[in-house]
Structures are given as structure tokens and as C-alpha cells.
Amino acid sequence: MMNLEFPKLMSVGWSNRLIGTCSEGIDSEDGQLVFDLRRVEFLAPFGVTMLAATVLECLRQGKACSYRPPESEDTRKWMARIGFDALFLPNAEAALRTSSSVELRRFTDIDPNYVENLIEVMDHHLTLGDEDRAQITMYLVELMQNAKDHAHSDMGYFVCAQAYPKAGNLRISFVDVGKGIPTKLRTLKRYKQTRDDSHLLVQATHAGVTTREDRPGGMGLTFIRRYLRRSEGTLTLLSEKGKVAFQPKKIVQAPWKRVQRFPGTAVDIVMRPGD
Amino acid sequence: MVETTMETTLNVKDICGTRHVTRDDGARVNERIRKVWDRGPVVVDFGNLKIASVSFIDQAIGVLALDHDAAEVRDHVRCVNIDPFDEQLLDDILISRSRQRVRSKAPKPRPSRLLGARGRQGAFTSKSSTMVFAKKAGTMVARDARTGSFTVKSKGGTATKRARGRSSSSARKTAR
């Protein structure tokens, strides 16, 4: 039995530690895994989607998964409310699909209804204007389209969103464990020799950079980045050994040698409605 | 011989129904536009739908700017009953695609020579009113701080997007 101990803060800022633990579980040859969340006090959407994707990948590999809930009562209740417990039920996939929560969901296709529901829920916590609604729709639709077209993941992708009324922001996270962005970009001749995954993630946000062969593309991430910058938001991309945070005034690229490898892609968005 | 042109109206709701999100959905609109392109101006009626999808708008109209000047696309394809956010998105997409088109057509001179030529031409004369924010081999993108307009320049041509009011794109060939 392998015990995977998760850190106190499960947010994008602690991604290295979090991804390290998740990768340990995915790569492990042990058939029985325990997701130990006792120390966890704060879970951002990034942490939830990353954890959910890891659990499902381990289940898919035929490993028996169980978890030790957080000692913090608030965190424990929150996890139950968003449907995280459903992952560990015997019929996990079915349970997750029928979950009424719009906060943590798994998809294999683009679902415009989910986008509308999510906006309604977020509007309940933060007052959203027409522009905010349109922007959220755009981010979600583009990320869903990317995950569907490029990730080629059997288990689809996870989405989680959470409004933070006190901070006045909204976090949306996407995770898939399919093909990563750097692997896909290296199929293009001009990026074949590029070693730095973070550099490739930056390139992926440039207009017209795409691996689509049948039609033009390469606009989704470009526009997410552009519109988030206009509204003082942040876009963080993690894929394989790359991690880049597109902040309103600067781009923070993590040195690829120090980044824990994540076999897939994670996108974390922080937006400030009304700005 | 008198040449007559006919305006064709395409209704997004009729073409796509309730699916107006993905590239595949946008491709259906694009196919219809291309089919009637030679007949004359095309009016695309969005029926006040809220699209908010880069993929859809790019595939439906944006990619036309890879084959034609952005201004020509704007003149030829008129969008009506379009949501203001989608209109802004369409303008941004046309600028990006037009920039991509200009860049792909331009030869690749040495950047130093390119910038030198620009200086002599006086294209960006006043530093106080112009901020260059992107330079690539063969193209130069600048934002005029006074008017807020964006200009993409290269040997192939120039594309400008106005920042306020009903934004439109115009393109002209630079004599060289």
C-alpha cells in the first residue's frame, strides 16, 4: 500500500509538490494507493482538478484507491459538497456524471449547457456583467475545444470553478492527462529541437501556432491570454515539464529543469469580474 | 456590359441551429460564405445570438482574412444583429489573421535593416504618440497611444484597426 501525502495548500502556487505527489501515484507500480489529504487546508480548483484527474487515471490503471479526508472540517465539507467523494465510490464514473454539482465535472466533449450553468452559479456569488459572462464563456469554450481536439485523452478532462467573493475573483481550472502541449508542438518542424517546455507553452499562446492540419487554428489560447491581460487576470499553463504564468504585466516562466513533469495539461485562470 | 452584384443574406441560426460553438459549426458558415463570395456582398445575420467563441468566429469569418485583405473581408461580409462582444472579438480575430497573412507573405529581411527603413520612411515619426509593442522579422506592429489604433506593417502591406467606435480594418499596398 502506498501512501500519497498531499501538501497543506493545494493551489497552483504549490504545483511542483502537488504534481510530484500525483505523478508518484500515476507512475507507481503499487496496486493500492491511499490519497492522504489529512494535512490539506485549502484546495483551489487547480488542486481539485489535478487530484480528480490523478485518481481517475489511477483507477483506469486498475489500482485500488482510497482516501483519508482532510482534518479541517471546512475543507472536508467542501470536498463532499463539490462531489469529490464520488470519485472513490465503486462506480465512480457514473457517480461523477450524475453529480448535480457544477463545480467539479468531467467531460469528454464540449458542453455549452455546463458553461451556462456555471455562469449562473458564479453570478450568484459575484455580480457578473455582460462582458464578464461573455469572457467566461469564451475561456471555457476554448479550453473545452482544445482539450477535445488536442489532448486525445480517454478519460476526457476535468473542470472546476470557484468564486471567491471576498477576494473578488473567480478561478477556473482545467486538467487533462492526455498529450501535453510540448509533445504536440514538437511534431512541428520548427519546434522539433526545442528542449524548454516552458518556452513551448509561451509559443502555444502566439496567434496562428497550431498543430491542426485540416484547418487554421492557434487562436484559442492567444485570445484567452489577451482578454485576461486586459481584465487584469492571470493565466497559468502547466504541461509536461513546463510552467508559465501570464500575469497582467509580466510572464513568469519556471526553469524547466526544476519543474515536476505532469503527463498532460493543466490550465488555471484567475479573473477579476467587473474590472 | 454592366456587371450586377447581388447581396446574399446568411442566417447563422438557419445554418447552425443551436450549435454555434465549435470550429466545425463555424466551418458550416464559412462554407456558405465562400459559396456565395463571388456573387457580391454577404450579410451574415447573427440573430442576436451570443456566440463568445473564438473558434466559431475565426472559422466562420476570421480565416477569410488569410485569403483576402481584412478590409476586403469587412467590406464584403457585413455582420448584422451581432452581440457587441462578438463584434469586438471578430475585429480582433481579423487583425490577428491579417497580421498572419502579411507575415507569411513578407520576405525575411534583417531586422536592423527593416527598422532602419521604417525610420527613414517616417512611418513611426513621433515617439510620444506611438508605442511599438511587437517586432518580428518582416513585420512590425505598433499601437498609436493617441488614437489607440493598431497598425501592422510589412513589405506586403499595411493593416490598421481603429480602437474606438465601429472599428474597421483597412489595408493598402505600400509602394516600395
Side-chain angles (χ1 to χ4, degrees):
Chain A
M1 188 190 290
M2 187 178 187
N3 194 52
L4 301 167
E5 198 176 313
F6 284 87
K8 196 168 149 183
L9 302 173
M10 289 184 52
S11 63
V12 73
W14 292 84
S15 63
N16 232 18
R17 173 85 196 277
L18 179 56
I19 290 172
T21 313
C22 290
S23 301
E24 228 176 285
I26 292 172
D27 299 337
S28 154
E29 286 179 8
D30 202 316
Q32 212 171 352
L33 301 176
V34 179
F35 289 76
D36 189 347
L37 305 175
R38 282 177 298 180
R39 287 183 62 213
V40 176
E41 285 181 10
F42 174 73
L43 271 123
F46 174 79
V48 178
T49 45
M50 190 60 79
L51 195 56
T54 306
V55 172
L56 215 60
E57 176 62 19
C58 293
L59 288 172
R60 198 184 62 83
Q61 291 174 2
K63 293 170 187 167
C65 301
S66 59
Y67 92 113
R68 296 197 175 113
E71 280 170 0
S72 153
E73 201 183 334
D74 289 348
T75 315
R76 205 165 52 234
K77 280 183 183 168
W78 185 80
M79 287 183 76
R81 188 166 61 81
I82 66 167
F84 185 81
D85 292 2
L87 282 173
F88 292 91
L89 294 177
N91 194 4
E93 291 194 28
L96 201 63
R97 218 174 289 137
T98 54
S99 162
S100 62
S101 168
V102 293
E103 290 173 312
L104 172 65
R105 291 286 294 273
R106 185 171 79 92
F107 296 102
T108 50
D109 203 349
I110 298 168
D111 186 349
N113 292 332
Y114 169 76
V115 177
E116 278 177 29
N117 289 344
L118 184 71
I119 289 172
E120 288 310 315
V121 172
M122 294 302 137
D123 195 29
H124 184 71
H125 299 286
L126 296 163
T127 310
L128 303 175
D130 285 348
E131 176 92 9
D132 299 322
R133 286 167 168 266
Q135 276 190 31
I136 296 172
T137 307
M138 186 183 95
Y139 302 150
L140 289 167
V141 163
E142 290 316 311
L143 292 174
M144 283 177 170
Q145 175 92 54
N146 280 356
K148 183 184 165 229
D149 292 353
H150 301 297
H152 307 294
S153 167
D154 297 339
M155 62 171 217
Y157 54 93
F158 282 92
V159 187
C160 184
Q162 172 91 28
Y164 295 92
K166 276 187 188 169
N169 66 28
L170 170 67
R171 283 174 178 266
I172 303 169
S173 190
F174 260 70
V175 169
D176 70 69
V177 281
K179 277 187 183 164
I181 295 173
T183 300
K184 290 281 283 184
L185 276 189
R186 282 195 190 98
T187 60
L188 300 176
K189 199 178 166 189
R190 62 179 145 156
Y191 300 121
K192 211 173 177 181
Q193 303 299 328
T194 311
R195 289 182 69 195
D196 187 347
D197 285 2
S198 295
H199 175 71
L200 288 173
L201 294 183
V202 176
Q203 292 299 310
T205 65
H206 289 175
V209 174
T210 182
T211 53
R212 279 179 210 279
E213 286 170 356
D214 53 338
R215 50 176 67 135
M219 285 287 168
L221 282 177
T222 309
F223 277 79
I224 294 176
R225 181 185 161 187
R226 192 177 293 175
Y227 278 64
L228 273 170
R229 188 171 56 189
R230 277 186 204 168
S231 59
E232 299 279 300
T234 303
L235 166 71
T236 307
L237 295 177
L238 287 105
S239 192
E240 298 175 12
K241 279 181 79 69
K243 180 181 176 183
V244 185
F246 298 93
Q247 294 170 358
K249 287 178 184 157
K250 61 179 178 181
I251 298 172
V252 183
Q253 249 175 280
W256 66 277
K257 282 184 182 172
R258 285 191 212 155
V259 177
Q260 280 282 352
R261 190 181 187 283
F262 173 66
T265 304
V267 180
D268 190 66
I269 286 173
V270 181
M271 66 174 285
R272 297 173 208 291
D275 274 3
Chain B
M1 196 173 96
V2 181
E3 212 172 274
T4 55
T5 55
M6 195 173 64
E7 197 175 74
T8 313
T9 302
L10 300 175
N11 196 318
V12 174
K13 274 184 194 169
D14 292 345
I15 300 169
C16 302
T18 52
R19 294 284 301 185
H20 42 76
V21 177
T22 63
R23 280 200 176 267
D24 290 338
D25 303 331
R28 287 207 288 273
V29 178
N30 185 270
E31 198 180 307
R32 296 284 289 271
I33 294 174
R34 285 182 194 271
K35 222 178 247 182
V36 297
W37 182 272
D38 294 332
R39 281 190 222 161
V42 184
V43 177
V44 180
D45 187 347
F46 281 79
N48 295 315
L49 285 171
K50 286 183 193 298
I51 309 280
S53 164
V54 178
S55 299
F56 179 88
I57 296 175
D58 180 40
Q59 194 62 46
I61 302 171
V63 294
L64 294 169
L66 289 172
D67 303 328
H68 308 274
D69 280 346
E72 195 189 341
V73 176
R74 260 316 201 173
D75 291 344
H76 204 85
V77 181
R78 194 160 55 86
C79 297
V80 295
N81 299 324
I82 184 170
D83 183 76
F85 182 84
D86 294 335
E87 192 172 20
Q88 190 196 345
L89 201 56
L90 174 61
D91 281 341
D92 289 342
I93 289 170
L94 285 175
I95 289 285
S96 291
R97 286 298 187 200
S98 146
R99 195 183 299 168
Q100 204 182 331
R101 174 173 172 267
V102 168
R103 201 186 297 148
S104 67
K105 280 193 168 183
K108 291 181 178 172
R110 282 173 294 155
S112 57
R113 187 170 160 260
L114 180 82
L115 292 173
R118 299 257 172 249
R120 280 196 299 280
Q121 261 196 344
F124 302 99
T125 46
S126 166
K127 278 191 176 174
S128 61
S129 70
T130 303
M131 181 182 74
V132 176
F133 75 90
K135 281 176 261 176
K136 289 267 175 186
T139 57
M140 189 164 173
V141 185
R143 180 178 172 273
D144 191 310
R146 190 170 49 81
T147 61
S149 63
F150 287 84
T151 307
V152 187
K153 287 199 163 216
S154 87
K155 271 195 169 178
T158 302
T160 306
K161 186 208 163 201
R162 285 199 295 273
R164 291 188 177 183
R166 277 184 74 84
S167 46
S168 67
S169 305
S170 67
R172 65 183 161 81
K173 288 276 174 192
T174 45
R176 277 185 172 251

